[in-house]
Amino acid sequence: MLRLLFLLTCALALLASSVASAAIVEHSFYVKNRTVRRLCSEQVVTAVNGSLPGPTLRVREGDTLIVHVFNKSPYDMSIHWHGVFQLLSAWADGPSMVTQCPITPGGKYTYKFKLLQQEGTLWWHAHFSLLRATVYGALIIRPRSGHPYPFPKPNKEVPILLGEWWNANVADIERQAAATGALPNISDAYTINGLPGDLYNCSRNRMYKLKVQKGKTYLLRIINAALDNQLFFKIANHKMTVVAVDAGYTVPYVTDVVVTGPGQTVDVLLAADQEVGSYFMAANAYASAGPAPPAFPAPPPFDNTTTRGIVVYEGAPTSATPIMPLLPEFNDTPTAHKFFTSITGLAGGPHWVPVPRQIDEHMFVTVGLGLSICPTCLNGTRFSASMNNFSFARPSSLSMLQAFFFNVSGIYTPDFPDTPPVIFDYTNIINAVNPSLLITPKSTSVKVLKYNATVEMVLQNTALLGVENHPMHLHGFNFHVLAQGFGNYDPVNDPKKFNLINPVSRNTINVPMGGWGVIRFTANNPGVWFIHCHLEAHLPTGLATALVVENGPTPESTLPPPPVDLPQC
């Protein structure tokens, strides 16, 4: 009896501790246009609360986050909480016309959701048009009070947001691309925490500076908020220890270079263990596109510039010239592939989920570029990327989640195929301009999944219109990355390479150029969940689809009704 009372007391104490550690964290976002100066001219941009990047939100696991968004910009707007599971709160996920109609100019909407079963670095950004070029910020989830990190506690935590800058209005850039059928113009600069650095004209004094003390350790929360570029990141003469990616803990991995695709986050420990002085941190593009197809004059252009900031040790002489790191070449695929495939998950660590072994749904999905007919475009066609030859078109009259909840037909069709309609030599550049493969039909086609179904998806890049690395992002879930490789996926031999013990857990995978990646996850959250390429140039062209996860058998596995202030179309 005494033992039973003791166990009951312990259980109640743990429950009380859990409840006490959860808090309500509330913010207001005022989205407005403002004029800022970067490089050599002033530019009107859309920003949250007047800052670029926007506010950093700090919460603990278990907290409830409430964000009131007031759209005082001239554009439709929605906010996506990138990487947040949104357990039974799919209404707050944010992608326009997928989970909500956009917030119109002058409108407002309150996002409310709990941060459950995940810790680490995530971020938020606009999910409408190219507005996430300037509408973005960090979302940091710390452990509950009294729960330590599974690595040595750092002396300080520092968000490092890598972004892009255009000397133009991004809305105009998107309109021009839509009118011509071409891809959007490339950016004019990269930024670190909103600042381009001294390698750009008129930007000598617009450089991020991190002050450190010798002997201390800093947790850098690196976020790739760029629209269209994967990035290499280095700090001169310093190693970094990766301890988490996409808000999932990893086995510590020591590296001198971090590689990130748009949407990905990487947490690293930086030991200030070098001679007192100044050291540049720098980022440049990993532009993975391979040789141009024979009918094309050159590979697609990219922003081949370098942004940099400075790590300054306390006591460093002001006259000292900072040391510059040697950055990889823009096409250094071996370095990128080594980084992505060397990171493993921290099995048994906080919120670790073992790899599911029983598979209910097998999917083989091709991802790549294509074309659609466009009589008004310059060449009579426009880029029209696709998954399994379906080029995604967002609905216009009702969001897909509303259609799911209210059982409204005609908004989407449940016929996204498990395999591509045509089997061909996917990564052979000889097929790059094969007209029978290039034209992709527009549709709002989705894959319907039973609640709690386990899904294994092979993501296969194609060489259509050229080969490149595609960062694919899944809303609402993390997935295990079982393996990645080059060429065409081999269903007989490649499964022998699967890591089923401690694979990395992510929400965004960089599918290698001319290659494949295999992911696995359990669909245990009802709703409509977007899966798409996080290169903004490819999202409007249709490199996306959605997964509709049906309700479970209990109230605890059923999507609740929408908030009363949900924006209407």
Side-chain angles (χ1 to χ4, degrees), residues 103-163:
I103 309 168
T104 54
K108 62 180 181 179
Y109 179 49
T110 296
Y111 293 91
K112 181 179 180 180
F113 52 91
K114 289 186 177 182
L115 287 309
L116 295 171
Q117 301 172 24
Q118 55 189 156
E119 300 170 10
T121 304
L122 297 174
W123 63 302
W124 57 266
H125 61 79
H127 213 297
F128 189 93
S129 180
L130 300 183
L131 293 175
R132 74 175 172 91
T134 51
V135 179
Y136 65 90
L139 172 56
I140 296 171
I141 310 171
R142 293 194 179 96
R144 292 178 187 247
S145 180
H147 293 234
Y149 292 128
F151 50 80
K153 183 179 179 181
N155 297 103
K156 187 177 181 180
E157 301 181 14
V158 183
I160 301 290
L161 290 94
L162 308 175

Side-chain angles (χ1 to χ4, degrees), residues 125-289:
H125 61 79
H127 213 297
F128 189 93
S129 180
L130 300 183
L131 293 175
R132 74 175 172 91
T134 51
V135 179
Y136 65 90
L139 172 56
I140 296 171
I141 310 171
R142 293 194 179 96
R144 292 178 187 247
S145 180
H147 293 234
Y149 292 128
F151 50 80
K153 183 179 179 181
N155 297 103
K156 187 177 181 180
E157 301 181 14
V158 183
I160 301 290
L161 290 94
L162 308 175
E164 285 184 271
W165 175 262
W166 278 261
N167 286 328
N169 185 300
V170 292
D172 293 339
I173 291 173
E174 184 174 43
R175 280 192 287 267
Q176 180 186 22
T180 62
L183 293 174
N185 291 341
I186 63 173
S187 56
D188 295 289
Y190 299 115
T191 58
I192 299 175
N193 287 345
L195 301 173
D198 65 336
L199 293 178
Y200 300 97
N201 291 335
C202 311
S203 191
R204 174 171 291 276
N205 296 320
R206 298 189 180 98
M207 183 159 51
Y208 174 69
K209 183 180 293 186
L210 173 61
K211 296 181 179 179
V212 301
Q213 288 183 295
K214 186 175 176 63
K216 292 192 174 181
T217 300
Y218 299 81
L219 178 62
L220 305 187
R221 298 181 177 272
I222 303 169
I223 299 168
N224 186 341
L227 263 67
D228 287 316
N229 284 281
Q230 299 161 90
L231 297 168
F232 294 114
F233 175 84
K234 293 187 76 171
I235 300 174
N237 290 13
H238 287 75
K239 300 281 190 180
M240 294 170 282
T241 302
V242 177
V243 292
V245 296
D246 291 2
Y249 293 117
T250 66
V251 174
Y253 172 66
V254 179
T255 178
D256 69 343
V257 60
V258 165
V259 194
T260 64
Q264 292 184 323
T265 70
V266 184
D267 291 357
V268 302
L269 293 176
L270 172 70
D273 56 4
Q274 297 300 301
E275 294 295 324
V276 171
S278 298
Y279 302 83
F280 280 120
M281 62 171 72
N284 67 348
Y286 165 47
S288 62

Side-chain angles (χ1 to χ4, degrees), residues 197-408:
D198 65 336
L199 293 178
Y200 300 97
N201 291 335
C202 311
S203 191
R204 174 171 291 276
N205 296 320
R206 298 189 180 98
M207 183 159 51
Y208 174 69
K209 183 180 293 186
L210 173 61
K211 296 181 179 179
V212 301
Q213 288 183 295
K214 186 175 176 63
K216 292 192 174 181
T217 300
Y218 299 81
L219 178 62
L220 305 187
R221 298 181 177 272
I222 303 169
I223 299 168
N224 186 341
L227 263 67
D228 287 316
N229 284 281
Q230 299 161 90
L231 297 168
F232 294 114
F233 175 84
K234 293 187 76 171
I235 300 174
N237 290 13
H238 287 75
K239 300 281 190 180
M240 294 170 282
T241 302
V242 177
V243 292
V245 296
D246 291 2
Y249 293 117
T250 66
V251 174
Y253 172 66
V254 179
T255 178
D256 69 343
V257 60
V258 165
V259 194
T260 64
Q264 292 184 323
T265 70
V266 184
D267 291 357
V268 302
L269 293 176
L270 172 70
D273 56 4
Q274 297 300 301
E275 294 295 324
V276 171
S278 298
Y279 302 83
F280 280 120
M281 62 171 72
N284 67 348
Y286 165 47
S288 62
F296 283 66
F302 65 95
D303 183 347
N304 193 17
T305 64
T306 299
T307 180
R308 64 185 185 185
I310 305 179
V311 176
V312 181
Y313 278 68
E314 185 179 280
T318 56
S319 59
T321 300
I323 300 171
M324 180 67 182
L326 179 62
L327 289 164
E329 294 294 324
F330 72 88
N331 57 356
D332 190 350
T333 291
T335 291
H337 188 65
K338 178 184 177 183
F339 180 85
F340 291 133
T341 56
S342 295
I343 299 172
T344 53
L346 188 63
H351 312 297
W352 168 256
V353 176
V355 181
R357 299 303 180 99
Q358 181 67 38
I359 309 302
D360 301 309
E361 298 278 356
H362 290 269
M363 300 181 69
F364 183 93
V365 181
T366 55
V367 295
L369 302 182
L371 297 172
S372 62
I373 303 301
C374 176
T376 62
C377 295
L378 194 61
N379 297 316
T381 59
R382 70 167 72 250
F383 281 103
S384 183
S386 67
M387 298 177 67
N388 275 355
N389 207 47
F390 277 82
S391 186
F392 184 80
R394 296 173 191 255
S396 58
S397 60
L398 193 70
S399 78
M400 298 168 72
L401 188 60
Q402 288 172 296
F404 164 75
F405 185 85
F406 294 109
N407 197 26
V408 178

Side-chain angles (χ1 to χ4, degrees), residues 529-547:
W529 305 105
F530 212 24
I531 177 170
H532 62 93
C533 180
H534 220 269
L535 297 175
E536 195 62 35
H538 296 338
L539 177 55
T541 64
L543 215 170
T545 188
L547 306 177

Side-chain angles (χ1 to χ4, degrees), residues 357-362 449-456 522:
R357 299 303 180 99
Q358 181 67 38
I359 309 302
D360 301 309
E361 298 278 356
H362 290 269
L449 297 169
K450 295 290 186 183
Y451 177 79
N452 233 26
T454 300
V455 182
E456 181 176 290
T522 301

